[in-house]
Amino acid sequence: QIQTILLDDNAIEELPSEIATMQSMQVLLLNGNKLTNLPAGYLENGVVTRVNLSGNPISQCPQVLAHLRQTCEGNGGMYWPPR
């Protein structure tokens, strides 16, 4: 089971929805990409502890961003928001 996604600084513009539905994913490090949106599947993740979205121009999906922040903080982790 994959628990960590580390894709920093890869000029990624979009994530496949399959990544969002990985229920074992605890760490999502995506800083320094070109993401503008995140799949709604992240709303179902309740185990994430670290998410770094800094350096991404994400302007859509406020519910997904709020859920990831709340879940990280609730699990005693860290959340870095998009710029």
Side-chain angles (χ1 to χ4, degrees), residues 22-82:
M22 299 171 90
Q23 294 300 311
S24 61
M25 185 194 59
Q26 296 178 11
V27 178
L28 180 63
L29 304 177
L30 297 168
N31 53 299
N33 285 293
K34 297 180 180 181
L35 296 169
T36 58
N37 197 4
L38 293 174
Y42 285 113
L43 292 168
E44 298 175 22
N45 184 306
V47 298
V48 69
T49 58
R50 295 185 71 187
V51 173
N52 189 341
L53 300 171
S54 62
N56 285 285
I58 299 173
S59 58
Q60 304 172 32
C61 66
Q63 289 179 312
V64 173
L65 295 174
H67 173 77
L68 289 172
R69 179 183 54 78
Q70 291 169 352
T71 304
C72 284
E73 292 173 356
N75 289 332
M78 302 268 311
Y79 174 80
W80 295 266

